[in-house]
Amino acid sequence: MFKIIRNATVYNPDKLGKKDVLIVNDKIIAIDDKIEISSNGIFDVEEINCKGKILVPGFIDGHVHILGGGGEGGFSNRTPEATLSILTKAGVTTVVGVLGTDGVGRDMNALLSKARALEEEGITTFVFDGNYRLPIKTLTENLINDIMAIDKIIGIGEIALSDHRSSQPSFDEFVKTVADTRVGGILSGKAGIINVHLGDGKRCLDLINEVVEKTEIPISQFWPTHINRNAYLFEEGIKFAKKGGIIDFTGNSDPDLWEKLYGEVKVSKAIKRVLEEGISEDNFTLTSDGQGSFPMFDDKGNYKGIGIGTSSCLLESIKACVFEENIPLEKAIRAITVNPANILKLKNKGKIEKNYDADLCLLDEKTLDIDMVIAKGKIMVKNGNPTVFGVFEKASKN
């Protein structure tokens, strides 16, 4: 199937101006000022007029509890699994699944199966091996073999540090796991990334810094997340990034309230600070912690109940960067496109370039609201509404 996207302002994520983009099946074949193609009735050509629209790469959400999360308030607090349309209507075309605190009621076999199900339904998926705790319960005889033998495993995580829910790993236990992950990545051509959940503890990134200082393992092997959880962790994250480390911010559906109640650093302010500090534009990312549970409050701070995080916070955070902090879109959008693609070694993802995967989001030029989402060359969302649903989403609509 041939598709031509016409008259969109293309962000690669660098701004390229108005371009036509030719898609054949699941790949971007050409980008030019004007693309003419004649099918002579041999094949169908779908033309999509995108006047007044912005075209950006499909979003990569590198931290989602696709099996569901929560459970820390008891069994009834377990959140549901992610559905295809929850992800696509938020612009997500590539997702990395993680476990969390619970690696018993949910395990790696189930996580891998869920990832494969979402892939069959139309998006690209990967997973991290393990959960909060060390040692990791591997699927094969060891961690290196898991990364080498199982296509979707690209690293480990989310390993919890500086948190009362972690396994409180020693330096030796942590560094051995990190080393095996790196070697597995080297041998398989994968990232071998160590995705680290950071809690509220005052130790912050101490254990990661110790590994970097005392061993030959490079700082780039780590991907610490929730860096904007509070002010002191954020400051430690800035120091880490200045040394060349990569830092990941977590989106929030109500960032102003969480800033007020918990001192969380709003993502838009965090990204602005990163840019002001002269930190590399390649070294920050944004993820959603989607399907994780979180407390909800009214505007007076009164507790209302348990909510569920979704990937919709990604674009809302990017909008805040652009409209509240005057950060250029081409800089802000890197956090959910090219940066995670490069960090996670996701080939042919995160950019609008010839021979890259046809994963695209079409946004309104004025509001940046999602108009269309294309994953693997297939339209998944049109006029802001999902057009493709998961298997059991279909069943529930009948």
Side-chain angles (χ1 to χ4, degrees), residues 85-134:
S85 66
I86 282 176
L87 296 165
T88 56
K89 71 182 179 183
V92 175
T93 56
T94 300
V95 65
V96 182
V98 299
L99 296 174
T101 316
D102 182 8
V104 178
R106 302 178 177 95
D107 63 18
M108 282 304 301
N109 282 302
L111 182 67
L112 189 59
S113 297
K114 177 63 179 180
R116 294 200 188 284
L118 287 170
E119 183 100 28
E120 288 180 5
E121 290 175 343
I123 62 174
T124 302
T125 62
F126 300 94
V127 299
F128 286 128
D129 208 355
N131 54 28
Y132 269 23
R133 305 180 66 79
L134 295 180

Side-chain angles (χ1 to χ4, degrees), residues 74 94 112 160 174 197 226 258 312 317 323 327 351 360 374 377 386 395:
T94 300
L112 189 59
F174 183 61
H197 160 105
H226 313 320
W258 278 64
S312 62
S317 295
F323 298 132
I327 298 170
K351 298 186 78 174
L360 305 163
I374 298 173

Side-chain angles (χ1 to χ4, degrees), residues 78-353:
R78 290 161 60 91
T79 65
E81 295 183 8
T83 61
L84 177 69
S85 66
I86 282 176
L87 296 165
T88 56
K89 71 182 179 183
V92 175
T93 56
T94 300
V95 65
V96 182
V98 299
L99 296 174
T101 316
D102 182 8
V104 178
R106 302 178 177 95
D107 63 18
M108 282 304 301
N109 282 302
L111 182 67
L112 189 59
S113 297
K114 177 63 179 180
R116 294 200 188 284
L118 287 170
E119 183 100 28
E120 288 180 5
E121 290 175 343
I123 62 174
T124 302
T125 62
F126 300 94
V127 299
F128 286 128
D129 208 355
N131 54 28
Y132 269 23
R133 305 180 66 79
L134 295 180
I136 288 174
K137 295 179 181 178
T138 59
L139 288 169
T140 65
E141 62 266 27
N142 59 60
L143 179 55
I144 294 174
N145 197 68
D146 271 17
I147 296 171
M148 291 184 66
I150 301 173
D151 57 342
K152 290 199 173 297
I153 295 179
I154 56 174
I156 64 170
E158 55 178 315
I159 307 301
L161 297 180
S162 194
D163 192 302
H164 67 95
R165 296 163 294 179
S166 84
S167 58
Q168 311 301 327
S170 66
F171 173 82
D172 289 342
E173 185 178 28
F174 183 61
V175 76
K176 175 63 167 60
T177 304
V178 169
D180 283 353
T181 305
R182 175 170 170 77
V183 171
I186 290 170
L187 294 176
S188 63
K190 298 177 182 177
I193 281 288
I194 295 87
N195 178 239
V196 180
H197 160 105
L198 293 173
D200 281 316
K202 295 295 185 180
R203 289 177 293 172
C204 300
L205 294 104
D206 287 356
L207 196 52
I208 297 174
N209 286 325
E210 187 177 2
V211 172
V212 173
E213 291 166 5
K214 293 183 177 180
T215 76
E216 298 75 27
I217 295 168
I219 197 170
S220 58
Q221 209 69 41
F222 299 94
W223 196 28
T225 189
H226 313 320
I227 289 291
N228 57 316
R229 177 187 293 278
N230 55 53
Y232 59 83
L233 177 57
F234 177 66
E235 292 302 326
E236 291 301 309
I238 291 292
K239 294 176 186 176
F240 184 76
K242 284 185 174 182
K243 294 188 290 187
I246 300 151
I247 51 177
D248 182 61
F249 304 124
T250 303
N252 193 307
S253 60
D254 195 350
D256 293 318
L257 184 61
W258 278 64
E259 184 178 46
K260 177 182 176 182
L261 291 179
Y262 294 115
E264 184 175 283
V265 180
K266 193 173 179 179
V267 169
S268 56
K269 294 179 180 179
I271 291 177
K272 183 176 183 179
R273 173 77 181 281
V274 163
L275 296 173
E276 288 175 343
E277 292 283 350
I279 292 165
S280 171
E281 294 178 3
D282 300 330
N283 283 28
F284 66 91
T285 58
L286 167 63
T287 58
S288 71
D289 204 11
Q291 298 305 118
S293 64
F294 63 89
M296 295 188 301
F297 303 89
D298 62 22
D299 56 5
K300 295 181 180 179
N302 298 312
Y303 176 74
K304 295 195 301 181
I306 296 290
I308 303 172
T310 72
S311 296
S312 62
C313 66
L314 300 180
L315 184 56
E316 292 306 310
S317 295
I318 299 303
K319 288 180 185 180
C321 287
V322 174
F323 298 132
E324 296 176 18
E325 304 297 340
N326 296 312
I327 298 170
L329 178 61
E330 58 265 36
K331 293 184 183 293
I333 204 73
R334 295 179 65 89
I336 53 174
T337 57
V338 66
N339 285 359
N342 288 341
I343 290 161
L344 299 174
K345 289 191 177 181
L346 306 184
K347 297 176 181 177
N348 303 320
K349 299 289 185 184
K351 298 186 78 174
I352 301 177
E353 280 192 5

Side-chain angles (χ1 to χ4, degrees), residues 32-101:
D32 213 332
D33 293 337
K34 187 70 174 178
I35 295 175
E36 298 294 345
I37 184 169
S38 176
S39 68
N40 294 321
I42 298 172
F43 51 84
D44 294 328
V45 179
E46 181 181 0
E47 297 208 8
I48 304 170
N49 190 337
C50 301
K51 185 177 180 181
K53 300 293 190 296
I54 289 171
L55 189 68
V56 298
F59 303 158
I60 299 168
D61 196 342
H63 190 109
V64 179
H65 298 273
I66 57 175
L67 267 182
E72 291 157 2
F75 294 114
S76 61
N77 290 143
R78 290 161 60 91
T79 65
E81 295 183 8
T83 61
L84 177 69
S85 66
I86 282 176
L87 296 165
T88 56
K89 71 182 179 183
V92 175
T93 56
T94 300
V95 65
V96 182
V98 299
L99 296 174
T101 316

